[in-house]
Amino acid sequence: MPRKILDISLIEDNKSDLTFFNIEEEETNETLKALKQSYVTTNYKDETILNLQNTLNSSSEDTSKELKIESYKRYNNALDLAHKNYITSACDFIENALEINPKDVDILNLKGLLTLLKCDFSKSFESFYTAMCYGNNELSRKYVDMLSSDEFKVFLGRYNHSIRFINEELNHESIHILDNIIEEDPYLIEPYVILSLLYDKLGDIKKKEGYLQNLRVVDKDNSLFEEDKKEDTLEEKEDVKIKNKKKNILPYVLVGCLVLGIGGYFVHSKNKIDDLNSKLTQKEDKLDEADKQLTQKEEILKEKEDELDKVKNEEKEAEVKVEILVSDEETLYNDALNMKKNNDYKGAIERFKHVITSGKSKKYISESIYQVALLNEKLGNKEDAVKYYNKYINTYTSKDQYYDDAFYQLGMLYYNDGDLEKAQNTFYGLKNEDPDSMYNNSKVKEILKER
């Protein structure tokens, strides 16, 4: 990831800084790989696109040269800290840089990547989308697409379930999901935090420490370590007090202190559990709100897509009608046969019907009637299939090509639909009208014998 150039002479007065945030495909540094390749596993989009666009369209003045230089320093500090896996501090520096220079695409993209690692996906989306609006660059566009993708929804569902399982005391189920997320993307920070808190709640100190060690690898200065230091300091002070008292008090007082110490331990554990549950509840509330916002946006987008599809279909139908009107019956008939081969039954039916109503040749008309009946049967349109089979039977004679075919298909349609009486009447008709037909076979004879 490039450092910002601090030479003030390179900044033009009449332009805001839109330095492109380049990323090479091959990268040897593992932290940078994480920043580039972290899979979106997330939760929500805090600001609507409309609000973001209103902000971008506001007539704020460009950042001065001096402030840009200061923002570059903080950007470079954030970049250096990210290289060393001090992600929490890097986030603080990038926030400061953004306050000074809010339209810089590089700063916005770096904030997006850092907040993505911290699993603050609402801020990540906002940063990438804002950067895309200012600079329309490839990196921003890539992550906006990822945060709006179907894969994102799948991970969001899994992540939400892991939180809800904890609140429902299904701790092992939650652990299973979070472990899988870590295995798939070991650079995401939040799963380590939740699992360490969860094992602390369960009293499994060994596993808690294991996840804290892993957390130190991906975020060396995570705020969770500060909380642990405070707790350890308080416990050490308490131990010193107890040791001093041991030297000066009677044995029965010692017993009383031990009892009080045990009680204090349980109160302390309960407070930690309550604090964990409170944090998880707040997180679930945010996720639920994000789900609602995402659903609303998806519904609006679906409506727009439906409207667009409707317009496209209407245009396509209009084109088809024009094409049909200007085509001769032979061309239409051959087009319909090609569509049938390609399983476009509806398009084929439309053209066969036009041949039936506008054609002049018996060959094309009769075969089109039979094809319409056959294709409607394939599509499950039984009423239309019956209508056109009967149309063929009533219009033509046993000398025509599909006469006995139409009889047989109609009879089997009735039979498969459970209407034995109509099936038998149809097969009696076939036997009388075309006694030499190959369709007067053993199957038909068996159906005629059924009662």
Side-chain angles (χ1 to χ4, degrees):
M1 190 173 293
R3 294 176 61 84
K4 282 286 192 180
I5 298 173
L6 304 183
D7 185 357
I8 197 168
S9 66
L10 298 179
I11 303 176
E12 297 181 27
D13 287 326
N14 60 345
K15 290 185 180 179
S16 49
D17 180 61
L18 299 176
T19 308
F20 188 73
F21 194 56
N22 289 309
I23 282 204
E24 298 295 333
E25 284 299 322
E26 294 186 5
E27 177 58 60
T28 57
N29 185 281
E30 292 299 321
T31 303
L32 286 181
K33 281 187 180 179
L35 292 173
K36 299 170 193 175
Q37 300 172 358
S38 286
Y39 192 80
V40 181
T41 58
T42 104
N43 67 39
Y44 57 93
K45 305 171 184 176
D46 222 10
E47 298 290 338
T48 64
I49 288 175
L50 179 61
N51 288 336
L52 287 170
Q53 288 175 334
N54 288 338
T55 302
L56 298 177
N57 293 329
S58 64
S59 57
S60 59
E61 296 182 357
D62 286 343
T63 308
S64 68
K65 293 178 180 179
E66 291 77 10
L67 289 177
K68 283 185 179 180
I69 293 298
E70 183 61 30
S71 74
Y72 290 174
K73 289 179 181 178
R74 299 185 186 193
Y75 165 88
N76 288 334
N77 284 335
L79 200 59
D80 290 338
L81 287 166
H83 273 279
K84 299 172 184 177
N85 289 344
Y86 288 93
I87 305 300
T88 296
S89 294
C91 287
D92 292 338
F93 273 100
I94 207 65
E95 285 290 352
N96 293 335
L98 197 61
E99 288 176 8
I100 298 171
N101 193 0
K103 292 186 178 181
D104 188 279
V105 174
D106 289 0
I107 294 174
L108 285 163
N109 279 333
L110 182 55
K111 179 185 175 182
L113 291 167
L114 292 173
T115 49
L116 187 103
L117 286 174
K118 293 284 283 186
C119 297
D120 191 343
F121 298 100
S122 62
K123 288 184 181 177
S124 181
F125 176 82
E126 179 183 337
S127 298
F128 286 126
Y129 183 82
T130 306
M132 188 177 72
C133 291
Y134 282 136
N136 192 24
N137 60 89
E138 184 179 351
L139 180 68
S140 305
R141 194 161 52 250
K142 168 188 171 183
Y143 280 97
V144 167
D145 290 342
M146 289 175 75
L147 284 163
S148 305
S149 67
D150 290 335
E151 289 84 358
F152 166 86
K153 293 181 188 176
V154 173
F155 268 85
L156 173 62
R158 292 170 62 198
Y159 192 84
N160 288 349
H161 276 304
S162 71
I163 303 300
R164 293 188 179 110
F165 281 153
I166 295 172
N167 287 332
E168 294 168 6
E169 298 299 325
L170 299 172
N171 299 317
H172 294 291
E173 288 80 354
S174 178
I175 289 168
H176 178 71
I177 293 174
L178 292 170
D179 277 336
N180 284 339
I181 290 175
I182 288 174
E183 184 176 350
E184 293 163 13
D185 195 337
Y187 291 98
L188 289 175
I189 294 166
E190 187 70 7
Y192 296 113
V193 174
I194 296 174
L195 282 167
S196 62
L197 291 171
L198 184 55
Y199 276 115
D200 186 65
K201 171 185 173 181
L202 296 173
D204 193 333
I205 304 304
K206 184 177 180 181
K207 287 191 175 179
K208 170 196 168 183
E209 291 299 326
Y211 283 106
L212 285 176
Q213 288 297 327
N214 292 332
L215 179 59
R216 284 189 177 89
V217 174
V218 295
D219 188 18
K220 293 180 179 179
D221 60 340
N222 191 277
S223 58
L224 192 62
F225 300 132
E226 293 299 320
E227 293 177 10
D228 273 3
K229 285 180 182 178
K230 290 177 183 178
E231 290 176 3
D232 291 342
T233 301
L234 289 172
E235 288 176 359
E236 287 172 6
K237 288 181 179 178
E238 189 64 28
D239 289 342
V240 170
K241 289 180 181 179
I242 292 173
K243 288 178 181 178
N244 290 334
K245 287 181 180 180
K246 283 182 180 179
K247 296 177 181 178
N248 301 303
I249 60 177
L250 297 174
Y252 68 89
V253 178
L254 173 61
V255 173
C257 288
L258 290 174
V259 171
L260 290 174
I262 293 170
Y265 171 80
F266 283 113
V267 170
H268 173 69
S269 298
K270 184 178 184 302
N271 289 337
K272 289 175 72 176
I273 292 170
D274 291 342
D275 182 58
L276 173 62
N277 285 331
S278 175
K279 290 179 181 178
L280 295 177
T281 301
Q282 290 173 9
K283 187 177 293 295
E284 183 178 12
D285 290 340
K286 289 182 179 180
L287 294 175
D288 288 339
E289 181 62 27
D291 283 340
K292 290 179 183 178
Q293 292 180 10
L294 189 59
T295 300
Q296 290 173 356
K297 291 174 187 175
E298 287 175 346
E299 288 174 353
I300 294 172
L301 183 61
K302 182 67 167 58
E303 288 176 5
K304 297 296 182 184
E305 289 175 349
D306 290 343
E307 290 176 7
L308 182 61
D309 289 341
K310 184 178 179 182
V311 172
K312 288 181 179 178
N313 289 335
E314 288 174 352
E315 291 176 352
K316 186 176 179 180
E317 288 173 3
E319 291 174 0
V320 169
K321 287 179 181 177
V322 171
E323 178 189 339
I324 290 174
L325 287 173
V326 299
S327 299
D328 60 80
E329 62 181 330
E330 182 180 359
T331 300
L332 277 177
Y333 179 79
N334 289 329
D335 287 346
L337 288 179
N338 287 331
M339 287 184 169
K340 177 186 175 183
K341 289 178 183 178
N342 294 323
N343 297 324
D344 183 4
Y345 295 154
K346 290 183 179 179
I349 287 172
E350 188 174 4
R351 284 159 177 75
F352 280 133
K353 282 185 175 180
H354 195 75
V355 172
I356 294 169
T357 56
S358 304
K360 297 178 181 178
S361 169
K362 175 186 173 182
K363 175 182 183 300
Y364 294 124
I365 294 172
S366 63
E367 292 189 12
S368 293
I369 292 172
Y370 178 75
Q371 292 295 339
V372 169
L374 195 65
L375 292 177
N376 271 302
E377 185 177 357
K378 287 181 179 292
L379 290 173
N381 303 326
K382 295 178 182 178
E383 290 185 7
D384 286 340
V386 169
K387 173 184 173 182
Y388 281 92
Y389 281 135
N390 279 320
K391 184 179 180 69
Y392 191 98
I393 292 167
N394 295 329
T395 304
Y396 302 104
T397 67
S398 60
K399 295 180 181 179
D400 292 291
Q401 182 177 0
Y402 295 107
Y403 188 76
D404 57 345
D405 294 74
F407 257 117
Y408 182 76
Q409 295 293 345
L410 179 60
M412 291 306 297
L413 193 157
Y414 282 136
Y415 183 73
N416 292 329
D417 202 36
D419 195 336
L420 180 61
E421 182 179 355
K422 286 186 178 180
Q424 289 178 334
N425 289 337
T426 302
F427 288 133
Y428 280 128
L430 170 63
K431 195 172 182 180
N432 291 331
E433 296 294 328
D434 195 357
D436 296 327
S437 170
M438 66 177 182
Y439 289 113
N440 289 311
N441 52 31
S442 57
K443 177 65 176 177
V444 170
K445 290 176 183 178
E446 289 176 7
I447 294 173
L448 290 173
K449 291 179 182 179
E450 288 187 27
R451 290 293 180 267

